[in-house]
Amino acid sequence: MFADVIVDIQHEKLDKIFQYRIPESMEGKLEPGMEVLVPFGKGNRQIRGYVTGISGTCDYDLSKVKEIIEIPERAMEIEAKLVALAAWMKENYGGTMIQALKTVLPIKQKENAKVKKRLRLLLDEETGRRQLHYYQEKNQKARARLMAALLDDHVLEYELVTKKLNITTPVIRALEEQGVLAVETERIFRTPLKQNQQQTRRITYTPEQRNVISRFRQDYGAGVRSTYLIHGVTGSGKTEVYMEMIRTVVELGKQAIVLIPEIALTYQTVMRFYRRFGDRVAIMNSRLSAGERYDQMMRAKAGQVDVMIGPRSALFTPFPDLGLIVIDEEHEPTYKSEQTPRYHARETAIQRAKMENASVVLGSATPSMEAMYRARRGEYILFEMKNRSRMQRMAEVYTVDMREELKNGNRSILSTKLRELMEDRLEKGEQIMLFLNRRGYSGFISCRECGHVVKCPHCDVSLSVHRDGKMRCHYCGYEQPKITVCPECGSRYIGEFRAGTQQIEEIVHETFSQARVLRMDMDTTRQKDAHEKILSAFANEEADVLVGTQMIVKGHDFPNVTLVGVLAADMSLYTGDYRSGERTFQLLTQAAGRAGRGERPGEAVIQTYDPSHYAIETAAAQDYEAFYEEEIRYRELMGYPPAEQLLAVFVSGEDEGLLEKGCHYLKEYILRVIRGLSGREDARTGKTGVRTVQPAAAVIGPASPGIDKIKDVYRRVIYIKAEQYELLVAMKNRVEKYIEINSGFDSMRIQFDFNPM
């Protein structure tokens, strides 16, 4: 028998399957997914590899086929299903098989297991007394001391013996060899959760919640495994619905994975799950130590955990019988990986669920365009929850035009309306959240007098300001000199918007000296548990105002917050990205949703220089339908996802001239492939021999991907647009082969990103 093995060397040239003979001693023991040691190269040095398949035939000269050395004892066995998932990711997102395996199998070495040891006396009382007497006679003081302690208490903690009784390991070993005592070892799992009481209170569900839960139960019981999209307004009780769905699955002996977008959400979300499922819940996040992460994976694999909660990486938990994957706040960009393979957790979760006969539930108050587009086409089952779980009113939203504030002489970042409402809340002892919309900020130019933003004439995305005094489009490369006068109204109040959370914190202190202010951003949350501490302090009403970036507006539930202020709502509108309208709508809707979640009604103030933009108007009205209709028309018109598919080919290298040349050849080759596809096959109908008038795909660029050069490495991007995803995958495969056979690309790094974020 022969094993297909991929070796653990991160190099594109070695990203292929090698065959090794399976020794007789290993036959029947080896399975796909297992780690092995194999001889490699001329010197036959021992390296690790992964078995990706087993066959009875060999594709190579038998005399040259080497034999597997061993299955490492300390190897963490890996599921064949996860290796298959890695192969799917390599095919659909590019990169090497090793990169895909490293993504789905994040833990390679075993961390030292944490164990608890005990000493147990094996002798009866009388024999023990005789043994003690013997040690005393022989003047073996340490042995006598240990024997006396064991006669007093037949089971002793190992640490107590070594530290408090000052007994050394050789003494313990000697008594063990004499049959006096036994050393018992128990595995202790590191858990980052502080133990809390499991809660069993009865929950009353709204009719909307009941409808979703019963439909899911009905489907699951009938063996139907689907992808569901729950579109529920902020505060509609989506988390309670997820928990009931998980309970359905867990009661059938299966496990569930819950993905959440930010570490900031972990504590609050986990405590809700922990109160429901007790210590059958485990969490994963980037702040856990390697030992804690390893232990969580081991607990899941050993069947000691029913629910794993965590960010994107928790998707690869090695559960033995996965039944459900829940993706909360599915619209979040953090579900897209920035490392190769640049997978999206939503698509990868659906693929894993298919492989393991599980269901997928996506939830959001502001679903991504992709998810809603598929739900409307019948690919997902759509549930809508339009009311809050305790029937509270949605927050009253005021839109403030900052151009008017400027005309009236107010140059502060706080509008008159927001200042008045803040004063009122501070007097009443209610809490306020101030959200600075800084996501994706890349220095766009806007006029403070009329709100005009300078855009690319070819791509309808804002131009970004660069240090060389030019404004550029990051899609097509168009550029023009930076302007100092507004082309729309002639005002000199035109420039880049700059403000940070620290400045806002200072302004609040200056304006309201009595206010207690907490700030939550990247700087204040660097330490472990910093998120938890800030959120707990705010929840315990130790502060009146919480100032922060987007991490404060997602998923948090503070009943005493009755006012939310959104400062600079336009910041994410003009990020040089076709998704900017969608992101702005999502952030503003989520922000407004933080107010009025308790008994008292809430209010939100959106400050903007462009109050008539559809993303801001629909967010203020909290009208997702109106936003979706407007946005999908724009995407269809411009040929952006989800209406069409987009592949970004990122090319980088240290030699700028060589990079330009490489991009030129790459683009020419892509155009040749497209011409071939257009002539041979109609991408829409699949009819061969039909020459389409319109090419199967369009190519844009090469252009700058935002920053031309980082650490002396030059960067370019080529975009390919097509209606069908499969066509882009086929093109990616062709480009990979082209790069492989042309040594000119050896000095360049080429990465693929499907529907980039």
Side-chain angles (χ1 to χ4, degrees):
M1 297 295 284
F2 301 90
D4 297 334
V5 174
I6 185 150
V7 295
D8 192 358
I9 296 175
Q10 191 116 8
H11 194 293
E12 281 78 358
K13 293 280 180 205
L14 290 174
D15 182 40
K16 54 179 180 230
I17 304 293
F18 295 91
Q19 275 194 319
Y20 285 87
R21 187 182 277 109
I22 301 174
E24 274 180 38
S25 60
M26 287 182 208
E27 280 190 15
K29 290 181 189 171
L30 211 58
E31 289 172 18
M34 285 177 105
E35 195 177 293
V36 287
L37 281 183
V38 292
F40 191 78
K42 284 180 184 167
N44 282 337
R45 63 190 179 97
Q46 288 189 21
I47 62 168
R48 289 170 183 272
Y50 299 102
V51 177
T52 59
I54 291 169
S55 64
T57 54
C58 182
D59 307 335
Y60 302 94
D61 176 357
L62 279 173
S63 63
K64 290 181 180 172
V65 175
K66 299 171 186 177
E67 202 168 73
I68 292 172
I69 299 166
E70 64 171 337
I71 304 168
E73 244 177 75
R74 291 169 61 80
M76 179 179 169
E77 307 83 9
I78 44 185
E79 309 303 322
K81 289 171 190 166
L82 288 177
V83 173
L85 186 63
W88 178 87
M89 286 165 71
K90 176 200 182 300
E91 174 66 12
N92 280 273
Y93 297 109
T96 66
M97 184 67 180
I98 282 292
Q99 286 169 322
L101 283 169
K102 283 194 156 96
T103 303
V104 304
L105 315 166
I107 298 151
K108 298 272 293 302
Q109 280 79 39
K110 280 196 174 182
E111 286 294 318
N112 289 333
K114 210 173 177 187
V115 292
K116 197 173 191 177
K117 286 183 177 178
R118 294 189 192 88
L119 306 183
R120 183 180 295 279
L121 179 64
L122 297 176
L123 308 177
D124 59 46
E125 192 76 21
E126 197 181 319
T127 317
R129 294 265 168 231
R130 279 207 301 273
Q131 195 68 18
L132 173 62
H133 186 63
Y134 170 76
Y135 292 145
Q136 286 165 337
E137 268 187 348
K138 295 282 183 191
N139 204 24
Q140 294 173 345
K141 288 178 180 168
R143 293 182 186 190
R145 204 161 60 249
L146 177 53
M147 194 67 228
L150 280 166
L151 284 166
D152 288 344
D153 198 338
H154 291 195
V155 180
L156 292 172
E157 295 296 331
Y158 196 94
E159 259 182 49
L160 176 93
V161 171
T162 53
K163 289 181 179 163
K164 295 281 188 279
L165 298 176
N166 296 317
I167 306 284
T168 59
T169 310
V171 173
I172 295 169
R173 203 176 294 127
L175 266 68
E176 190 180 13
E177 282 164 7
Q178 290 169 14
V180 172
L181 61 83
V183 178
E184 294 175 347
T185 307
E186 184 195 344
R187 176 78 192 268
I188 302 296
F189 287 110
R190 287 159 275 233
T191 173
L193 273 181
K194 315 282 182 287
Q195 298 296 320
N196 252 10
Q197 219 32 55
Q198 194 173 344
Q199 180 189 339
T200 50
R201 68 180 176 86
R202 298 283 307 153
I203 294 159
T204 313
Y205 296 109
T206 65
E208 286 178 331
Q209 286 175 316
R210 277 202 302 275
N211 170 43
V212 178
I213 293 164
S214 65
R215 169 69 194 271
F216 176 80
R217 277 200 185 133
Q218 207 177 318
D219 281 0
Y220 210 86
V224 176
R225 302 289 180 265
S226 296
T227 299
Y228 303 88
L229 172 62
I230 302 176
H231 174 206
V233 297
T234 51
S236 58
K238 292 185 289 293
T239 307
E240 294 297 339
V241 171
Y242 302 151
M243 289 199 278
E244 270 309 299
M245 289 170 155
I246 291 164
R247 204 162 67 90
T248 302
V249 167
V250 167
E251 282 172 357
L252 294 169
K254 294 177 181 288
Q255 301 89 37
I257 294 169
V258 181
L259 299 188
I260 48 178
E262 301 273 343
I263 299 170
L265 279 176
T266 305
Y267 181 70
Q268 255 193 329
T269 309
V270 166
M271 287 332 294
R272 290 172 78 174
F273 278 89
Y274 199 75
R275 282 194 284 271
R276 182 75 66 90
F277 297 102
D279 58 6
R280 303 287 297 176
V281 171
I283 68 164
M284 286 279 281
N285 65 46
S286 57
R287 307 202 168 197
L288 299 187
S289 67
E292 284 172 336
R293 287 174 77 86
Y294 176 73
D295 282 353
Q296 300 300 48
M297 286 297 195
M298 286 295 91
R299 285 178 71 205
K301 200 166 180 187
Q304 296 177 10
V305 171
D306 296 326
V307 186
M308 177 65 84
I309 301 174
R312 210 172 51 223
S313 57
L315 178 57
F316 308 111
T317 304
F319 273 133
D321 193 2
L322 183 64
L324 176 64
I325 302 170
V326 174
I327 305 185
D328 189 27
E329 309 291 356
E330 68 76 31
H331 63 275
E332 280 295 327
T334 46
Y335 286 128
K336 178 79 191 268
S337 169
E338 288 171 14
Q339 270 88 43
T340 307
R342 296 184 177 206
Y343 70 95
H344 197 294
R346 182 179 53 239
E347 271 68 53
T348 311
I350 291 169
Q351 180 60 26
R352 183 171 182 194
K354 264 185 208 159
M355 289 174 162
E356 306 207 23
N357 195 30
S359 285
V360 176
V361 173
L362 312 170
S364 174
T366 53
S368 62
M369 294 298 291
E370 285 81 357
M372 186 52 81
Y373 187 73
R374 285 175 198 153
R376 293 201 166 182
R377 291 175 65 176
E379 291 172 44
Y380 302 164
I381 293 167
L382 178 65
F383 293 124
E384 294 195 289
M385 290 162 56
K386 296 180 176 177
N387 298 298
R388 285 185 155 183
S389 58
R390 296 200 291 280
M391 295 300 165
Q392 312 98 310
R393 273 207 334 267
M394 299 298 285
E396 177 94 20
V397 182
Y398 308 100
T399 308
V400 175
D401 187 342
M402 294 304 278
R403 297 169 301 184
E404 292 301 317
E405 293 287 312
L406 185 69
K407 278 178 195 161
N408 298 333
N410 178 16
R411 295 194 177 184
S412 163
I413 197 162
L414 302 177
S415 63
T416 313
K417 177 77 178 172
L418 183 57
R419 237 192 348 257
E420 285 168 6
L421 289 174
M422 284 177 75
E423 230 158 78
D424 173 64
R425 295 308 189 272
L426 290 168
E427 272 173 32
K428 289 178 179 168
E430 293 169 12
Q431 288 174 298
I432 302 157
M433 287 168 90
L434 293 181
F435 159 54
L436 177 65
N437 184 8
R438 273 189 73 89
R439 165 185 279 160
Y441 166 54
S442 62
F444 65 89
I445 290 248
S446 68
C447 173
R448 290 182 69 183
E449 193 100 10
C450 74
H452 175 73
V453 171
V454 185
K455 288 188 171 186
C456 169
H458 310 292
C459 302
D460 196 34
V461 293
S462 65
L463 295 178
S464 293
V465 182
H466 286 245
R467 284 188 185 145
D468 59 5
K470 291 208 169 100
M471 301 190 298
R472 289 194 182 90
C473 170
H474 295 161
Y475 275 70
C476 69
Y478 169 85
E479 62 175 54
Q480 69 176 68
K482 184 177 168 181
I483 57 175
T484 51
V485 174
C486 176
E488 201 71 15
C489 72
S491 164
R492 293 201 168 272
Y493 283 113
I494 188 159
E496 296 171 73
F497 184 97
R498 295 194 181 280
T501 44
Q502 218 165 339
Q503 286 155 291
I504 290 159
E505 185 183 16
E506 284 161 19
I507 290 164
V508 173
H509 275 304
E510 283 164 25
T511 318
F512 309 102
S513 53
Q514 80 279 21
R516 298 165 300 161
V517 185
L518 271 175
R519 177 162 59 93
M520 188 165 175
D521 53 23
M522 289 303 280
D523 295 334
T524 60
T525 54
R526 287 216 164 102
Q527 261 98 32
K528 193 172 177 174
D529 299 334
H531 286 87
E532 192 182 308
K533 282 173 189 153
I534 295 170
L535 293 173
S536 294
F538 192 62
N540 296 337
E541 297 179 26
E542 290 165 29
D544 308 301
V545 184
L546 177 62
V547 175
T549 49
Q550 70 266 14
M551 59 174 78
I552 72 168
V553 301
K554 295 171 198 154
H556 304 309
D557 201 338
F558 301 113
N560 199 35
V561 170
T562 58
L563 176 63
V564 171
V566 180
L567 314 176
D570 326 82
M571 287 279 268
S572 57
L573 258 187
Y574 304 111
T575 57
D577 178 0
Y578 69 87
R579 282 194 172 90
S580 57
E582 178 182 4
R583 293 214 186 137
T584 302
F585 173 80
Q586 287 164 347
L587 280 168
L588 300 189
T589 308
Q590 295 279 343
R594 296 310 109 209
R597 292 171 81 101
E599 301 305 313
R600 291 180 290 273
E603 290 177 300
V605 176
I606 294 174
Q607 299 187 166
T608 172
Y609 288 95
D610 191 358
S612 61
H613 192 289
Y614 67 91
I616 290 172
E617 279 188 338
T618 53
Q622 307 204 27
D623 187 347
Y624 179 87
E625 298 298 316
F627 167 76
Y628 178 85
E629 292 305 334
E630 188 80 32
E631 182 70 14
I632 201 70
R633 277 201 293 273
Y634 158 63
R635 301 281 180 97
E636 284 168 349
L637 186 70
M638 300 300 291
Y640 288 133
E644 286 191 25
Q645 307 299 322
L646 186 66
L647 170 61
V649 184
F650 290 103
V651 190
S652 57
E654 288 175 17
D655 183 327
E656 192 179 11
L658 203 60
L659 183 69
E660 296 289 357
K661 202 172 172 185
C663 286
H664 170 74
Y665 280 116
L666 209 51
K667 183 173 181 176
E668 282 304 307
Y669 176 72
I670 291 165
L671 288 168
R672 253 197 343 268
V673 172
I674 290 170
R675 282 196 291 273
L677 286 167
S678 301
R680 194 178 68 247
E681 186 175 349
D682 183 329
R684 285 160 203 76
T685 62
K687 289 175 191 165
T688 49
V690 178
R691 182 168 289 277
T692 50
V693 181
Q694 197 182 353
V699 184
I700 310 163
S704 155
I707 303 166
D708 287 0
K709 187 168 77 166
I710 295 176
K711 292 182 180 171
D712 292 324
V713 174
Y714 294 91
R715 306 156 81 233
R716 294 290 180 273
V717 60
I718 298 169
Y719 292 104
I720 311 169
K721 279 182 186 177
E723 271 196 22
Q724 293 179 324
Y725 193 89
E726 295 70 28
L727 188 72
L728 292 181
V729 170
M731 294 194 72
K732 182 263 305 174
N733 292 342
R734 296 278 284 273
V735 170
E736 277 181 331
K737 283 201 174 73
Y738 177 69
I739 294 161
E740 207 176 296
I741 57 172
N742 285 287
S743 57
F745 291 106
D746 286 358
S747 62
M748 291 170 227
R749 188 162 182 236
I750 297 169
Q751 291 175 297
F752 300 94
D753 194 357
F754 287 84
N755 295 335
M757 295 293 231

